[in-house]
Amino acid sequence: MMDLDAPIYVAGHRGLVGSAIVRRLQAEGFNHLLLKPRTELDIRDRNAVDAFFRVQKPRYVFLAAAKVGGIMANNTYPVEFLMENLDIETNILRASYEHGVEKLLFLGSSCIYPKFAEQPIREEALLGGDLEPTNKPYAIAKIAGIILCESYRREYGCNFISVMPTNMYGPNDNFNLETSHVLPALIRKFHEAKVNGDATVTLWGTGTPLREFLHVDDCADACLHLMRQYDGDTIVNVGTGADLSIRELGELIKEVTGFQGQIVFDPSKPDGTPRKLLSVDKLHGLGWQHKISLRDGIASTYQWYLSSSNANA
């Protein structure tokens, strides 16, 4: 069991996943959280990361920090998505090994899997085919992080585990229409269309791709469960085991936000991967299942959005 007084470093604690992990740890009574904003610790800087670990000596690390974004951002900034994520991963994994971290959990992404992987996607599908081109640089960086965790475990005996969450959403998500993922982007688009009295909302692509969505608080709960219960040398998927089409997602968000107009699609825009549903058999076998339904999660996320500065940005 993890000592409630143990120093725990959450990298990316202000992001979507990191902030949820912090909330979960605090709710469980962990009282020695090491939280450094980017202004105080640039984790892309190897020397700064090394100095932080040398002084703070974390026993546990949740590596939730990453440069993330949707299709548009990945297409526009491929170099930044590859290089910055590689820097983050190599710096924190190296420091965790060199300064004796007891256990580390690395957050990957479901985009690591081949574009046409058999559905639902099992962990064994990794490196079994070509990646989706629209987020290939980000996926390559995350795959490198997985392999690096496996390599530190094999060569040096480090207890580094990797988890692959599906598409996540929730409080502290990014609602910028140019850099966000699909679900928060749609919440903002439908809300603004309602406020402006627009007749239509346009969604990218055909609406046919299937996606799985996990509330970030469920993801944080799964991460803590795995940190306590799992010491295996292979990756673990984290998801709900259910998906829906982008068209169905649009209809659901339209209902939650109260938009009264019509949904139209722009097939000239990319759809991305046709389907991306994770197999969660392994996770269920480890004693964890998600609790928050998609509709309830979207409704609570919309309320958070309305109460934040995003709705007035």
Side-chain angles (χ1 to χ4, degrees), residues 72-151:
M72 181 182 296
N74 276 273
N75 275 335
T76 307
Y77 306 108
V79 173
E80 288 76 11
F81 273 88
L82 181 56
M83 295 297 294
E84 289 190 28
N85 284 301
L86 287 174
D87 287 343
I88 290 168
E89 295 160 7
T90 55
N91 290 342
I92 291 179
L93 291 173
R94 180 192 293 111
S96 295
Y97 159 64
E98 292 179 348
H99 297 282
V101 166
E102 187 172 323
K103 189 170 184 179
L104 176 146
L105 182 145
F106 171 65
L107 267 294
S109 166
S110 58
C111 73
I112 63 161
Y113 291 117
K115 179 174 182 176
F116 297 107
E118 182 180 349
Q119 305 288 322
I121 307 172
R122 299 178 59 83
E123 288 86 352
E124 294 80 8
L126 179 64
L127 299 176
D130 292 334
L131 299 168
E132 161 59 40
T134 58
N135 59 16
K136 187 174 183 179
Y138 177 74
I140 291 291
K142 285 297 184 180
I143 292 170
I146 294 167
I147 301 302
L148 196 53
C149 284
E150 293 176 352
S151 299

Coordinates of all heavy atoms in Angstrom, one line a residue, residues 72-151:
M72 N -6.4 19.3 -35.6 CA -5.9 20.6 -36.2 C -4.5 20.9 -35.6 O -3.5 21.2 -36.3 CB -6.8 21.7 -35.9 CG -6.3 23.1 -36.5 SD -7.4 24.5 -36.2 CE -8.9 23.9 -37.1
A73 N -4.4 20.8 -34.2 CA -3.1 21.1 -33.6 C -2.0 20.1 -34.0 O -0.9 20.5 -34.2 CB -3.3 21.1 -32.1
N74 N -2.4 18.8 -34.0 CA -1.4 17.8 -34.4 C -0.9 18.1 -35.9 O 0.3 17.9 -36.2 CB -2.0 16.4 -34.3 CG -1.9 15.9 -32.9 OD1 -0.9 15.3 -32.5 ND2 -2.9 16.1 -32.1
N75 N -1.8 18.4 -36.7 CA -1.4 18.7 -38.1 C -0.6 19.9 -38.3 O 0.3 20.0 -39.1 CB -2.7 18.9 -39.0 CG -3.2 17.5 -39.5 OD1 -2.5 16.6 -39.6 ND2 -4.5 17.5 -39.7
T76 N -0.8 20.9 -37.4 CA -0.2 22.2 -37.6 C 1.2 22.3 -36.9 O 2.1 22.9 -37.4 CB -1.0 23.3 -36.9 OG1 -2.3 23.3 -37.5 CG2 -0.4 24.7 -37.2
Y77 N 1.4 21.5 -35.8 CA 2.6 21.6 -35.0 C 3.2 20.2 -34.7 O 3.5 19.8 -33.6 CB 2.3 22.3 -33.6 CG 1.7 23.6 -33.8 CD1 0.3 23.8 -33.4 CD2 2.4 24.7 -34.2 CE1 -0.3 25.0 -33.5 CE2 1.7 26.0 -34.4 CZ 0.4 26.1 -34.0 OH -0.2 27.3 -34.1
P78 N 3.5 19.4 -35.8 CA 4.0 18.1 -35.6 C 5.4 18.0 -34.9 O 5.6 17.2 -34.1 CB 4.1 17.5 -37.0 CG 4.2 18.7 -37.9 CD 3.4 19.8 -37.2
V79 N 6.3 19.0 -35.2 CA 7.6 19.0 -34.6 C 7.5 19.2 -33.1 O 8.1 18.5 -32.2 CB 8.5 20.1 -35.2 CG1 9.8 20.2 -34.4 CG2 8.8 19.8 -36.6
E80 N 6.7 20.2 -32.7 CA 6.5 20.5 -31.2 C 5.9 19.3 -30.5 O 6.3 19.0 -29.4 CB 5.6 21.7 -31.1 CG 6.3 23.0 -31.4 CD 6.4 23.3 -33.0 OE1 5.8 22.5 -33.7 OE2 7.1 24.2 -33.4
F81 N 4.9 18.7 -31.1 CA 4.2 17.5 -30.5 C 5.2 16.4 -30.2 O 5.1 15.7 -29.2 CB 3.0 17.1 -31.3 CG 1.8 17.8 -30.9 CD1 1.4 19.0 -31.5 CD2 0.9 17.3 -29.9 CE1 0.3 19.7 -31.2 CE2 -0.2 18.0 -29.6 CZ -0.5 19.2 -30.2
L82 N 6.1 16.2 -31.2 CA 7.1 15.1 -31.1 C 8.2 15.5 -30.1 O 8.5 14.7 -29.1 CB 7.7 14.7 -32.4 CG 8.7 13.6 -32.5 CD1 8.1 12.3 -31.9 CD2 9.1 13.3 -33.9
M83 N 8.8 16.6 -30.3 CA 10.0 17.0 -29.5 C 9.7 17.3 -28.0 O 10.4 16.8 -27.1 CB 10.7 18.2 -30.1 CG 11.3 17.9 -31.5 SD 12.6 16.6 -31.5 CE 13.8 17.5 -30.6
E84 N 8.6 18.0 -27.8 CA 8.3 18.4 -26.4 C 7.9 17.2 -25.6 O 8.3 17.1 -24.4 CB 7.3 19.5 -26.4 CG 7.7 20.8 -26.9 CD 6.7 21.9 -26.6 OE1 6.0 21.8 -25.6 OE2 6.7 22.9 -27.4
N85 N 7.2 16.3 -26.2 CA 6.8 15.1 -25.4 C 8.0 14.2 -25.2 O 8.1 13.6 -24.1 CB 5.7 14.4 -26.1 CG 4.3 15.1 -25.9 OD1 3.9 15.2 -24.8 ND2 3.7 15.5 -27.0
L86 N 8.9 14.0 -26.1 CA 10.1 13.3 -25.9 C 10.9 13.9 -24.8 O 11.5 13.1 -23.9 CB 10.9 13.2 -27.2 CG 10.4 12.3 -28.3 CD1 11.2 12.4 -29.6 CD2 10.3 10.8 -27.9
D87 N 11.1 15.2 -24.8 CA 11.8 15.8 -23.7 C 11.2 15.6 -22.4 O 12.0 15.2 -21.4 CB 11.9 17.3 -24.0 CG 12.8 17.7 -25.1 OD1 13.7 16.9 -25.5 OD2 12.7 18.9 -25.6
I88 N 9.9 15.7 -22.2 CA 9.3 15.5 -21.0 C 9.5 14.1 -20.5 O 9.9 13.9 -19.3 CB 7.7 15.8 -21.1 CG1 7.5 17.3 -21.3 CG2 7.0 15.3 -19.9 CD1 6.1 17.7 -21.8
E89 N 9.3 13.1 -21.3 CA 9.4 11.7 -20.9 C 10.8 11.3 -20.5 O 11.0 10.7 -19.5 CB 8.9 10.8 -22.1 CG 7.4 11.0 -22.4 CD 7.1 10.5 -23.8 OE1 7.9 9.9 -24.5 OE2 5.9 10.7 -24.2
T90 N 11.7 11.7 -21.4 CA 13.1 11.2 -21.1 C 13.6 11.9 -19.8 O 14.3 11.3 -19.0 CB 14.0 11.5 -22.3 OG1 13.9 12.9 -22.6 CG2 13.7 10.7 -23.5
N91 N 13.3 13.2 -19.6 CA 13.8 13.9 -18.4 C 13.3 13.3 -17.1 O 14.0 13.0 -16.2 CB 13.5 15.4 -18.5 CG 14.2 16.1 -19.6 OD1 15.3 15.6 -20.0 ND2 13.8 17.3 -20.0
I92 N 11.9 13.0 -17.1 CA 11.3 12.6 -15.9 C 11.7 11.1 -15.6 O 11.9 10.7 -14.5 CB 9.8 12.8 -15.9 CG1 9.6 14.3 -15.8 CG2 9.1 12.1 -14.7 CD1 8.1 14.7 -15.9
L93 N 11.7 10.3 -16.6 CA 12.0 8.9 -16.4 C 13.5 8.7 -16.0 O 13.8 7.9 -15.1 CB 11.8 8.1 -17.7 CG 10.3 7.9 -18.1 CD1 10.1 7.3 -19.5 CD2 9.5 7.1 -17.0
R94 N 14.4 9.5 -16.6 CA 15.8 9.4 -16.2 C 15.9 9.8 -14.8 O 16.6 9.1 -14.0 CB 16.6 10.3 -17.1 CG 18.1 10.3 -16.8 CD 18.9 11.4 -17.5 NE 18.9 11.2 -18.9 CZ 18.3 12.0 -19.8 NH1 17.6 13.0 -19.4 NH2 18.4 11.7 -21.1
A95 N 15.3 10.9 -14.4 CA 15.5 11.4 -13.0 C 14.8 10.4 -12.0 O 15.4 10.2 -10.9 CB 14.8 12.8 -12.9
S96 N 13.7 9.8 -12.4 CA 13.1 8.9 -11.5 C 14.0 7.7 -11.3 O 14.1 7.2 -10.1 CB 11.8 8.4 -12.1 OG 10.8 9.5 -12.2
Y97 N 14.7 7.2 -12.3 CA 15.6 6.1 -12.1 C 16.8 6.5 -11.3 O 17.2 5.9 -10.3 CB 16.1 5.6 -13.5 CG 17.4 4.9 -13.4 CD1 17.5 3.7 -12.7 CD2 18.5 5.4 -14.0 CE1 18.8 3.0 -12.6 CE2 19.8 4.7 -14.0 CZ 19.9 3.6 -13.3 OH 21.1 2.9 -13.2
E98 N 17.4 7.7 -11.6 CA 18.6 8.1 -11.0 C 18.5 8.5 -9.5 O 19.4 8.4 -8.7 CB 19.3 9.3 -11.7 CG 19.8 8.9 -13.1 CD 20.4 10.0 -13.9 OE1 20.2 11.2 -13.5 OE2 21.0 9.7 -15.0
H99 N 17.2 8.9 -9.1 CA 17.0 9.3 -7.8 C 16.1 8.4 -7.0 O 15.5 8.8 -6.0 CB 16.4 10.8 -7.8 CG 17.4 11.8 -8.4 ND1 18.4 12.3 -7.6 CD2 17.4 12.3 -9.6 CE1 19.1 13.1 -8.4 NE2 18.5 13.2 -9.6
G100 N 16.0 7.2 -7.5 CA 15.4 6.1 -6.7 C 13.9 6.1 -6.5 O 13.4 5.7 -5.4
V101 N 13.2 6.6 -7.4 CA 11.7 6.6 -7.3 C 11.2 5.2 -7.1 O 11.6 4.3 -7.9 CB 11.0 7.3 -8.5 CG1 9.5 7.0 -8.6 CG2 11.3 8.8 -8.5
E102 N 10.3 5.0 -6.2 CA 9.8 3.6 -5.9 C 8.9 3.1 -7.0 O 9.0 1.9 -7.3 CB 9.1 3.6 -4.5 CG 8.7 2.3 -4.0 CD 8.1 2.3 -2.6 OE1 8.6 3.1 -1.8 OE2 7.2 1.6 -2.3
K103 N 8.0 4.0 -7.5 CA 7.1 3.5 -8.6 C 6.7 4.7 -9.4 O 6.5 5.8 -8.8 CB 5.9 2.8 -8.0 CG 5.0 2.1 -9.0 CD 4.0 1.2 -8.4 CE 3.2 0.5 -9.4 NZ 2.2 -0.4 -8.8
L104 N 6.6 4.5 -10.7 CA 6.1 5.6 -11.6 C 5.0 5.0 -12.5 O 5.1 3.9 -13.0 CB 7.3 6.1 -12.4 CG 7.0 7.1 -13.5 CD1 8.2 8.1 -13.7 CD2 6.8 6.4 -14.9
L105 N 4.0 5.9 -12.7 CA 3.0 5.6 -13.7 C 3.0 6.6 -14.8 O 2.9 7.8 -14.6 CB 1.6 5.6 -13.0 CG 0.4 5.3 -13.8 CD1 -0.7 4.5 -13.0 CD2 -0.2 6.5 -14.5
F106 N 3.2 6.0 -16.0 CA 3.2 6.8 -17.2 C 1.9 6.8 -18.0 O 1.4 5.7 -18.3 CB 4.3 6.3 -18.2 CG 4.4 6.9 -19.5 CD1 4.7 8.3 -19.7 CD2 4.1 6.2 -20.6 CE1 4.7 8.9 -20.9 CE2 4.2 6.7 -21.9 CZ 4.4 8.1 -22.1
L107 N 1.4 8.0 -18.3 CA 0.1 8.1 -19.0 C 0.4 8.2 -20.5 O 1.0 9.1 -20.9 CB -0.7 9.4 -18.6 CG -1.7 9.3 -17.4 CD1 -2.9 8.4 -17.8 CD2 -1.1 8.8 -16.1
G108 N 0.0 7.2 -21.2 CA 0.1 7.2 -22.6 C -1.2 7.7 -23.3 O -1.8 8.6 -22.8
S109 N -1.6 7.1 -24.4 CA -2.8 7.5 -25.1 C -3.2 6.4 -26.0 O -2.4 5.6 -26.5 CB -2.5 8.8 -25.9 OG -3.5 9.0 -26.9
S110 N -4.5 6.3 -26.3 CA -5.0 5.3 -27.2 C -4.6 5.5 -28.6 O -4.7 4.6 -29.4 CB -6.6 5.2 -27.1 OG -7.1 6.5 -27.5
C111 N -4.1 6.7 -29.0 CA -3.6 6.9 -30.3 C -2.3 6.2 -30.7 O -1.9 6.2 -31.8 CB -3.4 8.4 -30.6 SG -2.0 9.1 -29.8
I112 N -1.8 5.5 -29.7 CA -0.6 4.7 -30.0 C -0.9 3.5 -30.8 O 0.1 2.9 -31.4 CB 0.1 4.2 -28.6 CG1 -0.9 3.3 -27.9 CG2 0.5 5.4 -27.8 CD1 -0.3 2.4 -26.9
Y113 N -2.1 3.1 -30.9 CA -2.5 1.9 -31.6 C -2.6 2.1 -33.1 O -2.9 3.2 -33.6 CB -3.8 1.3 -31.0 CG -3.6 0.8 -29.6 CD1 -4.3 1.3 -28.6 CD2 -2.7 -0.3 -29.3 CE1 -4.2 0.9 -27.3 CE2 -2.6 -0.8 -28.0 CZ -3.3 -0.2 -27.0 OH -3.1 -0.7 -25.7
P114 N -2.5 1.0 -33.9 CA -2.6 1.1 -35.3 C -4.0 1.7 -35.7 O -5.0 1.4 -35.1 CB -2.4 -0.3 -35.8 CG -1.6 -0.9 -34.8 CD -2.0 -0.3 -33.5
K115 N -4.0 2.4 -36.8 CA -5.2 3.0 -37.3 C -6.3 2.0 -37.6 O -7.5 2.2 -37.3 CB -4.9 3.8 -38.6 CG -6.2 4.5 -39.2 CD -5.8 5.3 -40.4 CE -7.1 6.0 -41.0 NZ -6.8 7.0 -42.0
F116 N -5.9 0.8 -38.1 CA -6.9 -0.2 -38.4 C -6.8 -1.4 -37.5 O -7.0 -2.5 -38.0 CB -6.8 -0.6 -39.9 CG -7.1 0.6 -40.9 CD1 -6.1 1.2 -41.6 CD2 -8.4 1.0 -41.0 CE1 -6.3 2.2 -42.4 CE2 -8.7 2.1 -41.9 CZ -7.6 2.7 -42.6
A117 N -6.5 -1.2 -36.3 CA -6.4 -2.3 -35.3 C -7.7 -2.9 -35.1 O -8.8 -2.3 -35.2 CB -5.9 -1.7 -34.0
E118 N -7.7 -4.2 -34.9 CA -8.9 -5.0 -34.6 C -9.6 -4.4 -33.4 O -9.0 -4.1 -32.4 CB -8.6 -6.5 -34.4 CG -9.8 -7.3 -34.2 CD -9.4 -8.8 -34.0 OE1 -8.3 -9.1 -34.2 OE2 -10.3 -9.6 -33.6
Q119 N -10.9 -4.3 -33.5 CA -11.7 -3.6 -32.4 C -12.5 -4.7 -31.6 O -12.9 -5.7 -32.2 CB -12.7 -2.7 -33.0 CG -12.2 -1.6 -33.9 CD -11.4 -0.6 -33.2 OE1 -11.8 -0.2 -32.1 NE2 -10.3 -0.1 -33.7
P120 N -12.6 -4.5 -30.3 CA -11.9 -3.5 -29.5 C -10.4 -3.8 -29.4 O -10.0 -4.9 -29.5 CB -12.6 -3.6 -28.1 CG -13.1 -5.0 -28.1 CD -13.5 -5.4 -29.5
I121 N -9.6 -2.7 -29.2 CA -8.2 -2.8 -29.3 C -7.6 -3.4 -28.0 O -7.7 -2.8 -26.9 CB -7.6 -1.4 -29.6 CG1 -8.2 -0.8 -30.8 CG2 -6.1 -1.6 -29.8 CD1 -7.8 0.7 -31.0
R122 N -6.9 -4.5 -28.2 CA -6.2 -5.1 -27.0 C -4.8 -4.5 -26.9 O -4.2 -4.0 -27.9 CB -6.1 -6.6 -27.2 CG -7.5 -7.3 -27.3 CD -7.4 -8.8 -27.5 NE -6.7 -9.4 -26.4 CZ -7.2 -9.8 -25.3 NH1 -8.5 -9.6 -25.0 NH2 -6.5 -10.4 -24.4
E123 N -4.2 -4.6 -25.8 CA -2.9 -4.1 -25.5 C -1.8 -4.7 -26.4 O -0.9 -4.0 -26.8 CB -2.5 -4.4 -24.0 CG -3.2 -3.5 -23.0 CD -4.6 -4.1 -22.6 OE1 -5.0 -5.1 -23.2 OE2 -5.2 -3.5 -21.6
E124 N -2.1 -5.9 -26.9 CA -1.1 -6.6 -27.7 C -1.0 -6.0 -29.1 O -0.1 -6.4 -29.9 CB -1.5 -8.1 -27.8 CG -1.3 -8.9 -26.5 CD -2.5 -8.7 -25.6 OE1 -3.5 -8.1 -26.0 OE2 -2.4 -9.2 -24.4
A125 N -2.0 -5.1 -29.5 CA -2.0 -4.5 -30.8 C -0.9 -3.5 -31.0 O -0.6 -3.1 -32.2 CB -3.3 -3.9 -31.1
L126 N -0.2 -3.1 -30.0 CA 0.8 -2.0 -30.1 C 1.9 -2.5 -31.1 O 2.4 -3.6 -31.0 CB 1.4 -1.8 -28.7 CG 2.6 -0.8 -28.6 CD1 2.1 0.6 -29.0 CD2 3.2 -0.8 -27.2
L127 N 2.2 -1.5 -32.0 CA 3.2 -1.7 -33.0 C 2.9 -2.8 -34.0 O 3.7 -3.3 -34.7 CB 4.6 -2.1 -32.4 CG 5.2 -1.0 -31.4 CD1 6.5 -1.5 -30.8 CD2 5.4 0.3 -32.2
G128 N 1.5 -3.0 -34.2 CA 1.1 -4.0 -35.1 C 0.6 -3.5 -36.4 O 0.1 -4.3 -37.2
G129 N 0.8 -2.2 -36.7 CA 0.4 -1.6 -38.0 C 0.6 -0.2 -38.1 O 1.2 0.4 -37.1
D130 N 0.2 0.5 -39.2 CA 0.5 1.9 -39.4 C -0.4 2.7 -38.5 O -1.6 2.4 -38.2 CB 0.2 2.3 -40.8 CG 1.1 1.6 -41.8 OD1 2.3 1.3 -41.4 OD2 0.8 1.4 -43.0
L131 N 0.1 3.9 -38.0 CA -0.6 4.8 -37.2 C -1.5 5.7 -38.0 O -1.3 5.9 -39.2 CB 0.4 5.6 -36.4 CG 1.4 4.8 -35.4 CD1 2.5 5.8 -34.9 CD2 0.6 4.3 -34.3
E132 N -2.4 6.4 -37.3 CA -3.2 7.4 -37.9 C -2.4 8.6 -38.3 O -1.7 9.1 -37.4 CB -4.4 7.8 -36.9 CG -5.0 9.2 -37.2 CD -5.6 9.3 -38.6 OE1 -6.2 8.3 -39.1 OE2 -5.5 10.3 -39.2
P133 N -2.3 9.0 -39.5 CA -1.4 10.1 -39.9 C -1.6 11.4 -39.2 O -0.6 12.2 -39.0 CB -1.6 10.2 -41.4 CG -2.2 8.9 -41.9 CD -3.0 8.4 -40.7
T134 N -2.8 11.7 -38.9 CA -3.1 13.1 -38.3 C -2.5 13.3 -36.9 O -2.4 14.4 -36.5 CB -4.6 13.3 -38.3 OG1 -5.3 12.3 -37.5 CG2 -5.2 13.4 -39.7
N135 N -2.2 12.2 -36.2 CA -1.5 12.4 -34.9 C -0.3 11.5 -34.7 O 0.1 11.2 -33.6 CB -2.5 12.2 -33.8 CG -3.1 10.8 -33.8 OD1 -2.6 9.9 -34.4 ND2 -4.2 10.6 -33.0
K136 N 0.4 11.2 -35.8 CA 1.5 10.3 -35.8 C 2.6 10.8 -34.9 O 3.2 10.0 -34.1 CB 2.0 10.0 -37.2 CG 3.1 9.0 -37.3 CD 3.4 8.7 -38.8 CE 4.4 7.6 -38.9 NZ 4.7 7.3 -40.3
P137 N 3.1 12.1 -35.0 CA 4.2 12.5 -34.2 C 3.9 12.4 -32.7 O 4.7 11.9 -31.9 CB 4.3 14.0 -34.6 CG 3.8 14.1 -36.0 CD 2.7 13.1 -36.0
Y138 N 2.7 12.7 -32.2 CA 2.3 12.6 -30.8 C 2.3 11.1 -30.5 O 2.8 10.7 -29.4 CB 0.9 13.2 -30.6 CG 0.4 13.0 -29.2 CD1 0.9 13.8 -28.2 CD2 -0.6 12.1 -28.9 CE1 0.4 13.6 -26.9 CE2 -1.1 12.0 -27.6 CZ -0.6 12.7 -26.6 OH -1.0 12.6 -25.3
A139 N 1.8 10.3 -31.3 CA 1.7 8.8 -31.0 C 3.1 8.2 -30.9 O 3.4 7.4 -30.0 CB 0.9 8.1 -32.1
I140 N 4.0 8.6 -31.8 CA 5.4 8.2 -31.8 C 6.1 8.5 -30.5 O 6.8 7.7 -29.8 CB 6.2 8.7 -33.0 CG1 5.7 8.1 -34.3 CG2 7.7 8.5 -32.8 CD1 6.0 6.6 -34.4
A141 N 5.8 9.8 -30.0 CA 6.4 10.2 -28.7 C 5.9 9.3 -27.6 O 6.6 8.9 -26.7 CB 6.1 11.7 -28.5
K142 N 4.6 9.1 -27.6 CA 4.0 8.3 -26.5 C 4.5 6.8 -26.6 O 4.7 6.2 -25.5 CB 2.5 8.3 -26.6 CG 1.9 9.6 -26.1 CD 2.2 9.9 -24.6 CE 1.6 11.1 -24.1 NZ 1.9 11.3 -22.7
I143 N 4.7 6.3 -27.7 CA 5.2 4.9 -27.9 C 6.6 4.9 -27.3 O 7.0 3.9 -26.7 CB 5.1 4.5 -29.3 CG1 3.7 4.2 -29.8 CG2 6.0 3.2 -29.5 CD1 3.5 4.0 -31.3
A144 N 7.4 5.9 -27.6 CA 8.8 6.0 -27.1 C 8.7 6.0 -25.6 O 9.6 5.3 -24.9 CB 9.4 7.3 -27.6
G145 N 7.8 6.7 -25.0 CA 7.7 6.7 -23.5 C 7.4 5.3 -23.0 O 7.9 4.9 -21.9
I146 N 6.5 4.5 -23.6 CA 6.2 3.2 -23.2 C 7.4 2.3 -23.3 O 7.7 1.6 -22.3 CB 5.1 2.6 -24.1 CG1 3.8 3.3 -23.9 CG2 4.9 1.1 -23.9 CD1 2.7 3.0 -25.0
I147 N 8.1 2.3 -24.4 CA 9.3 1.5 -24.6 C 10.4 1.9 -23.6 O 11.1 1.0 -23.1 CB 9.8 1.6 -26.0 CG1 8.8 1.2 -27.1 CG2 11.1 0.8 -26.2 CD1 8.2 -0.2 -26.9
L148 N 10.5 3.2 -23.3 CA 11.5 3.6 -22.3 C 11.1 3.1 -20.9 O 12.0 2.6 -20.2 CB 11.6 5.1 -22.3 CG 12.8 5.8 -21.6 CD1 14.1 5.2 -22.2 CD2 12.8 7.3 -21.8
C149 N 9.9 3.1 -20.6 CA 9.5 2.5 -19.3 C 9.8 1.0 -19.2 O 10.3 0.5 -18.2 CB 8.0 2.7 -19.0 SG 7.5 4.4 -18.6
E150 N 9.5 0.3 -20.3 CA 9.8 -1.1 -20.4 C 11.3 -1.4 -20.3 O 11.7 -2.3 -19.6 CB 9.2 -1.7 -21.7 CG 7.7 -1.7 -21.7 CD 7.2 -2.2 -23.1 OE1 8.0 -2.4 -24.0 OE2 6.0 -2.4 -23.2
S151 N 12.0 -0.5 -20.9 CA 13.5 -0.7 -21.0 C 14.1 -0.4 -19.6 O 15.0 -1.1 -19.2 CB 14.1 0.3 -22.0 OG 13.6 -0.1 -23.3

